[in-house]
Amino acid sequence: MSVFEGFRFRRVLSPIHQLDPRAKFFYVCTVFVIAVMFNQLMPLILLFLIQLPFVLAAGVQKEWIRSMKGASFLALMIFLFNFLFTYFYREYPTFPPSSSLMEYSLAMTLRFIVLVESFSIFFLTTSPDRLGLALEQSHIPYEFCFAFTTAVRFVPVLAEEAQTIMDAQKARGLELERGNFIKRIRNYIPILIPLIVSAIRRSLELAEAMESRAWGATNKRTNLYVLKIARGDYILAIISIGMLVLAVYVWLFMREQIPSLIPWITG
Amino acid sequence: MIEVKDIFFTYPNNVKALKGVSLNIREGDFVAIMGQNGAGKTTLVKHFNGLLKPTKGAVIVNGVDTREESVAKLSRGVGFVFQNPDNQLFCETVEEEVAFALRNFGFEDKIVQKRVEWAINLLGLAKHRQSSPFMLSGGERKRVALASVLAWNPDVVILDEPTIGQDYKQKEKLRQFIVQLNAQGKTVVVVTHDVEFVAECNPRVVLMAQGEIVVDGDAKHVLTNAKLVTKASIVPPQISQIFMGLTDLGLPIDIIDVYEARDILLDFLGGDL
Ligand SMILES: Nc1ncnc2c1ncn2[C@@H]1O[C@H](COP(=O)(O)OP(=O)(O)O)[C@@H](O)[C@H]1O
Ligand SMILES: [Mg+2]
């Protein structure tokens, strides 16, 4: 669950929270593209560091660190898989593995971490409401926007409910960690069934509540709040474009000159 | 039986739900834990079978520290009926639902059958034994949940908000049932903010507010103490509200029982009707 904690929005006032979700999303996409462009360590480290000021400015360090911790296990897996598979595929039986393999595996891991980092910043600083608004104003059909924001909103509710159900079944002697692999999966049936039943029940209730509040009565909805692109959003967009241009330039003309960091690591 | 030694509990989101709670529940006790929403009642009782472990302090159940024992082991002696039966019902029939815990605790098939039979009859569910728990009414589902816990005959029974969403008749039945359980020697812990319900059972009352115990004493004295009751944001039972309004007549205020009240009033009016 701790990975999800890192994506859970909390209402705070900060310059980053104020930014338009569309601008932030553009920024996240930029980071994504750049991270995928390079598989050397140096640019990825830079990319990782560039985002730290955002975390600090938004004041979400604690949650952010939690999400990074949550991602660390996956990151470790990615490292091991890359390292082992590439080693056995390319270099076996030479030993020890080459330092470029080390750099490559580290870079792949860092790429994952950078992606988690940027998405985590996005979700930590964007309220589901504003995200929904942004979707709507991007001319995505309202039904989809609503389904999306509702799903996001109910994630914590469901997580809490799952916890209560787990407690209730544990109190009836259910031991989740008992038995072999198959048995362990079966152990989750007493948790999944009440969870699914209550989710269905809740969605029916929600549908009734929506209809009694005239859902879909007009085709042209208006909003009390309307997102407007402000100066900060332009600045972020310009930063993103700048980063992208720089990255493309480096990728096109200087790719071979990016220094390897392995001598630094191995000393 | 259950010793709570100065426990503190903080949820992962930094909510301090318990701040130094000490409590001693003896065998055969009938305890009502009361207080407004968010006072920490559920958090406290979840410590009794090890679902939550104290951040600081210790909970000792039958001489064992809950931190050193699995929830399943502790639950064998401390049965916990959750507030919402929908959080636990999942089997195809009521019978299987009641048998679920018995199987988990490793009872033999023959004994499982006997116990299921016994619990189903005890709660008047014989008619519904082959029904799906999901098709039953709210009150019936609650009884299935109760039966599924009583089936393994735990020494302590904890009921979290048993009266919520029940009509008067069901509540009355439940009350008689709980009183009977206690009379048969079971230790009963009821979490509730239903004052009238508590007034009629007259148990030991533990009043909580903001993660602390405000007072621990007889229902009669706790529920009629205007200061304490205000502190825990609960409304005294109607009968004691009447007596609180009649103090200038020289009547006692620690009255929560309707029949006792009747006698006192008749006495005061100097006649019988
Ligand atoms: N799973 C949880 N995670 C975080 N906070 C919780 C959780 N459960 C309860 N709380 C908080 O702990 C406090 C006490 O809750 P609870 O013990 O459920 O109160 P009560 O049962 O008296 O209504 C409340 O402030 C509640 O918001
Ligand atoms: Mg509660």
Side-chain angles (χ1 to χ4, degrees), chain A residues 77-91:
Chain A
M77 295 306 286
I78 289 176
F79 177 77
L80 286 178
F81 272 86
N82 269 297
F83 192 80
L84 292 178
F85 280 112
T86 323
Y87 173 69
F88 284 110
Y89 186 62
R90 287 233 191 98
E91 299 184 359

Side-chain angles (χ1 to χ4, degrees), chain A residues 2-30:
Chain A
S2 53
V3 185
F4 294 120
E5 272 299 303
F7 290 94
R8 186 119 124 234
F9 174 77
R10 279 184 198 82
R11 216 161 286 277
V12 197
L13 268 186
S14 86
I16 309 292
H17 285 74
Q18 296 285 317
L19 289 172
D20 192 295
R22 289 167 290 184
K24 272 188 278 192
F25 188 68
F26 180 61
Y27 166 77
V28 170
C29 290
T30 311

Side-chain angles (χ1 to χ4, degrees), chain B residues 36-43 45 83 160-161 191 193:
Chain B
Q36 70 193 108
N37 278 338
K41 307 181 296 286
T42 303
T43 310
V45 290
Q83 179 171 338
D160 194 358
E161 307 275 9
V191 173
H193 47 219

Side-chain angles (χ1 to χ4, degrees), chain A residues 100-148:
Chain A
S100 70
L101 174 60
M102 185 70 180
E103 170 158 16
Y104 172 75
S105 312
L106 279 177
M108 288 302 115
T109 313
L110 197 57
R111 177 187 281 173
F112 168 73
I113 290 178
V114 166
L115 296 185
V116 172
E117 183 186 30
S118 60
F119 277 99
S120 158
I121 293 176
F122 179 77
F123 283 107
L124 278 176
T125 63
T126 309
S127 82
D129 302 319
R130 283 168 60 96
L131 195 52
L133 265 185
L135 287 177
E136 236 177 287
Q137 291 185 19
S138 312
H139 302 289
I140 290 169
Y142 183 58
E143 284 80 7
F144 291 106
C145 306
F146 187 84
F148 177 78

Side-chain angles (χ1 to χ4, degrees), chain A residues 16 51-62 64 117 121:
Chain A
I16 309 292
Q51 305 193 64
L52 292 184
F54 285 93
V55 178
L56 293 176
V60 292
Q61 304 86 327
K62 255 210 236 146
W64 178 76
E117 183 186 30
I121 293 176

Side-chain angles (χ1 to χ4, degrees), chain B residues 207-224:
Chain B
L207 207 54
M208 293 187 69
Q210 283 144 33
E212 287 177 90
I213 292 184
V214 182
V215 64
D216 178 352
D218 284 345
K220 197 168 167 175
H221 295 119
V222 174
L223 295 184
T224 54

Side-chain angles (χ1 to χ4, degrees), chain A residues 90-230:
Chain A
R90 287 233 191 98
E91 299 184 359
Y92 189 76
T94 46
F95 190 84
S98 66
S99 54
S100 70
L101 174 60
M102 185 70 180
E103 170 158 16
Y104 172 75
S105 312
L106 279 177
M108 288 302 115
T109 313
L110 197 57
R111 177 187 281 173
F112 168 73
I113 290 178
V114 166
L115 296 185
V116 172
E117 183 186 30
S118 60
F119 277 99
S120 158
I121 293 176
F122 179 77
F123 283 107
L124 278 176
T125 63
T126 309
S127 82
D129 302 319
R130 283 168 60 96
L131 195 52
L133 265 185
L135 287 177
E136 236 177 287
Q137 291 185 19
S138 312
H139 302 289
I140 290 169
Y142 183 58
E143 284 80 7
F144 291 106
C145 306
F146 187 84
F148 177 78
T149 43
T150 312
V152 170
R153 185 161 322 174
F154 277 104
V155 165
V157 178
L158 274 183
E160 197 174 304
E161 189 146 317
Q163 187 61 51
T164 312
I165 292 171
M166 248 188 249
D167 282 353
Q169 304 297 34
K170 273 196 214 158
R172 293 165 82 202
L174 178 70
E175 284 175 288
L176 291 173
E177 255 85 84
R178 200 169 63 178
N180 58 22
F181 185 66
I182 305 289
K183 177 80 171 49
R184 279 184 194 209
I185 292 176
R186 284 178 56 97
N187 281 346
Y188 277 88
I189 292 176
I191 288 161
L192 288 178
I193 292 179
L195 192 62
I196 293 169
V197 168
S198 95
I200 292 173
R201 194 172 284 166
R202 178 171 288 132
S203 67
L204 292 178
E205 275 167 17
L206 182 67
E208 277 174 2
M210 279 161 57
E211 267 179 73
S212 61
R213 288 168 68 179
W215 160 267
T218 54
N219 289 329
K220 246 187 146 212
R221 294 180 79 251
T222 53
N223 277 304
L224 180 56
Y225 300 103
V226 178
L227 292 175
K228 281 207 199 82
I229 306 279

